[in-house]
Structure formats: C-alpha cells, structure tokens
Amino acid sequence: MEYKISLIPGDGIGPEIVGEAKKILDKVCEKYGHKFNYEEVLLGGASIDACGVPLTQEAIDTAKSSDAVLMGSIGGDAKTSPWYKLEPSKRPEAGLLAIRKALNLFANLRPAYLYDELKGACPLKEEVIGEGFDMIIVRELTGGLYFGERKTVEENGVRKAIDTLTYDEKEIRRIAVKAFEIAGKRRKKVTSVDKANVLDSSRLWRKVVEEVAADYPDITLEHMLVDNCAMQLVHNPGQFDVILTENMFGDILSDEASMVTGSIGMLSSASLNETKFGLYEPSHGSAPDIAGKGIANPIATILSAAMMLRFSLDLDEEADAVEAAVQQVLKEGYRTVDIMSEGMKQVGTKEMGDLIAERIC
Ligand code: NAD
C-alpha cells in the first residue's frame, strides 16, 4: 500500500527522535512491501525561525493532504530561547494548538503500558502491579469545561468566577464510537468514566454511551465514577482496557495513568479526527536540556508511529511488529539513559533506533 505521511520534526530533541521513527517506518515498508511518501512540515520554533510564525497555512494544507502526521515535539527553554520573547500568540505552543484545531482533532489517545522489563520504574507495589497493565485512555479533547463560556465578575464587592461544562450528544457519540472501535482492536472492554451522581453533562454522557454500546454487542461496557477511577488506577490498574472519558477528567486521569508506568521516554499518544486521520506524537516535550546530545529515548515516538500504523493506516500486523521489536530490545537489556538501571547496556538515540529496526520481522 502507498501512503502520504507528514513528518513534523519540531524543536529540541524532535528531529533526533523523528529520525529514528522514520528509520522504523522505512524498515516496515521494506519488510511488508509498502511505500510511505514523506513530506516535512515546519511547526513551532522551527517554523518561527524559517517563516516568522509558529504555523503557516502551507503547513496546515500539507498536513491535511496526508494520511497521517507524525510529530516529534516543539518548544524551547522558556528562560533562554528568543521564541519566548514573542507575544504568546506567536510562540511555539500557539502553533501546536492551532494545528490541532485546524485538523479538528477531538479524540486524544494515551496508552499506559507497563513493560515487564521496566517494572522497577513503576511506583506501585509489586502486589498491586500483579501481571502488569495495558490500558488506553480515550479523552474527548475539544469540548467540556475547557471550551465552555467563562467569566469573572464582581457582585456586591465579592469576586466570582464561572466556568461552564457543556456537552451535546453529537460530541459524546463521536468520541464514544472511537472508544468502542479501539476496544474492538484490543481486549473488548470499555470503562466509561463520569460523575453521573452529580453532573447533568455526565448523565447525558452515560445515556449516549449506552446508546452507542448497543451497536457493539461484543464489547463489555462498564461505568465508573471519576473519583473511583482515580483510586482504581493505583489500586488495580490491570482491570482497565479502554477508559473513555470527557476532557477534564481525561486530562487528569491520563497523566495519572502515564505516571504509574514510571517512564516519560516511553509514552506515546495520538489525536484523531472523525475520519481515520490523526496526529501522532510522544507525550513528552522537546527536552531542550538534552537536545543534540544523541541520548534522547526515541521509543515514545517509535510507539507513536506504531499507533499511526494501527489507527490511521489499519496496518495492525505491522504495528504489532514494531511493538514486539521494542519489547525485544528491552528484553535484551538495551536502555537509553532515562530508563537505565544496573546491569543493563546503555545506548544512544541512533543505536536504540537501529536495534529496534533490526528486530522488525
Ligand atoms: P520535557 O518533557 O521536554 O522534559 C522533561 C524532562 O524529561 C527533561 O529532563 C528531559 O530531558 C526528559 N525527557 C523528555 N523526553 C525525553 C526523552 N525522549 N528521552 C530522555 N529524556 C527525556 O518537558 P519540559 O522540560 O517541561 O518542556 C520542554 C519544552 O517542551 C517546553 O518548551 C514545552 O513547552 C515543550 N513541550 C512540548 C510538548 C509537545 O510538543 N507536545 C509537550 C510538552 C512540553
């Protein structure tokens, strides 16, 4: 098959880690007979330096015309980089928010998977970890409290702030459909998280999720209150497969879930729109403190590329092969500095990419 992929190297360690992810995709093409046509897109600081703005219309058009976008990360050191002397709307992060909006990316996917080999980095007790965990949080990204009307007023000398939490059934339905589709590719369980004992928006959420569930009879649906979910993530994380939730709950729970894996250099993510199109990127930032040193862990970006194969290109077997190669390299004891532990073999960014590419079969 032939696909067009936009690559956004971005800033800091971005070009290094995207380079390794491309190496992996090239190996997938070689092994499975696909052709990926890449087009490089400027975003963030790199775009400011080249074009004077963090995102151009040309960049948006290129991204829109591709099957998927793979990104490194953007941004610099806020204290030393000249990009942060610009007004907020012209800084690197403004470009990222603008491209997410332009591409209508409403579904955010954050997997939290505990590799057996990295159990030592997990802050939970061994009896809680048990057989490990493998979940994915599907978070609604463009509605809810963060996008509702807000204002601050003063009434009778008392300051008062108001934020509004709104969801309509269309917004709920489209994210629920994504969660059920993803569960269909996994262990077929959706845990929908809400606060239906208090919030009207959550009661509508629950009803619409149940309506969607009726179209997926092979998938088990359970509802969980958000406060209970926050506890269950550190009490029995192995129970979760797909967690479906609204914007603010997802913001908090996805950070909690990723921290229990213990390693920022391993965490992939994806943001999808209503078609199969998506933007794939590691959960970490551009790590300016280690940029150019050749020591950044490329695995989060490589696993993001695997998500791209699975969710945008429907290449499940190829995605499995990339994930298995990552697991194999860890099993053989290779580690970048951020996940290094005693007795393991330390390697740099390029070497880690080479080792993973060699194990794709
Ligand atoms: P960061 O994630 O870049 O770095 C935090 C720490 O983790 C640093 O010590 C860094 O060296 C380390 N680290 C991160 N990724 C690593 C990797 N792959 N391998 C090894 N070590 C790694 O967070 P920060 O320092 O708060 O932010 C730096 C810049 O990144 C800022 O400009 C911020 O705005 C930007 N940022 C961008 C994104 C994005 O592009 N989506 C996300 C978060 C932060």
Side-chain angles (χ1 to χ4, degrees), residues 4-206:
K4 183 175 162 193
I5 294 167
S6 291
L7 289 181
I8 305 182
D11 309 316
I13 60 171
E16 298 166 61
I17 54 182
V18 168
E20 296 316 301
K22 182 173 173 290
K23 192 184 277 174
I24 302 303
L25 292 173
D26 287 343
K27 190 63 187 279
V28 165
C29 285
E30 189 191 310
K31 286 274 171 193
Y32 290 84
H34 302 303
K35 185 162 189 251
F36 294 158
N37 300 309
Y38 302 103
E39 198 148 2
E40 208 163 293
V41 171
L42 291 175
L43 181 72
S47 176
I48 295 173
D49 289 346
C51 316
V53 287
L55 177 70
T56 61
Q57 186 58 45
E58 189 191 344
I60 294 172
D61 294 342
T62 305
K64 274 188 176 167
S65 69
S66 58
D67 294 296
V69 181
L70 180 65
M71 187 177 115
S73 43
I74 54 106
D77 183 331
K79 284 194 193 121
T80 56
S81 166
W83 301 327
Y84 296 91
K85 295 203 167 63
L86 300 167
E87 63 172 85
S89 67
K90 300 211 164 88
R91 291 179 191 171
E93 288 71 16
L96 184 57
L97 293 178
I99 198 165
R100 283 183 178 149
K101 194 169 174 206
L103 300 175
N104 193 24
L105 304 171
F106 69 87
N108 182 238
L109 275 47
R110 289 260 298 264
Y113 177 73
L114 185 66
Y115 287 91
D116 225 22
E117 296 75 16
L118 300 181
K119 268 186 179 170
C122 175
L124 303 178
K125 285 184 189 159
E126 242 182 272
E127 63 260 36
V128 174
I129 297 173
E131 298 290 296
F133 50 86
D134 174 7
M135 70 185 97
I136 186 161
I137 299 196
V138 178
R139 165 191 170 195
E140 202 290 325
L141 204 57
T142 55
L145 202 56
Y146 297 171
F147 289 85
E149 267 179 54
R150 73 193 78 229
K151 62 179 174 183
T152 304
V153 294
E154 195 165 317
E155 284 173 4
N156 304 321
V158 178
R159 285 172 297 163
K160 183 165 138 184
I162 302 159
D163 293 290
T164 323
L165 169 47
T166 313
Y167 269 109
D168 69 37
E169 59 180 304
K170 285 186 188 158
E171 290 172 301
I172 302 169
R173 184 165 289 112
R174 66 181 185 174
I175 188 78
V177 166
K178 282 273 182 229
F180 279 90
E181 279 174 3
I182 289 163
K185 288 188 172 218
R186 295 172 49 95
R187 300 194 309 281
K188 300 192 165 36
K189 179 179 170 192
V190 171
T191 305
S192 175
V193 174
D194 61 38
K195 189 71 182 169
N197 53 342
V198 178
L199 300 174
D200 261 20
S201 57
S202 281
R203 286 190 272 271
L204 179 63
W205 182 278
R206 217 174 250 221

Side-chain angles (χ1 to χ4, degrees), residues 13 17 71-78 83-84 92-93 96 100 264-266 281-291 295-301 336-339:
I13 60 171
I17 54 182
M71 187 177 115
S73 43
I74 54 106
D77 183 331
W83 301 327
Y84 296 91
E93 288 71 16
L96 184 57
R100 283 183 178 149
I264 194 168
M266 302 289 298
E281 58 178 320
S283 294
H284 59 72
S286 59
D289 53 332
I290 57 165
I295 58 170
N297 186 349
I299 294 180
T301 316
T336 43
V337 64
D338 56 311
I339 51 172

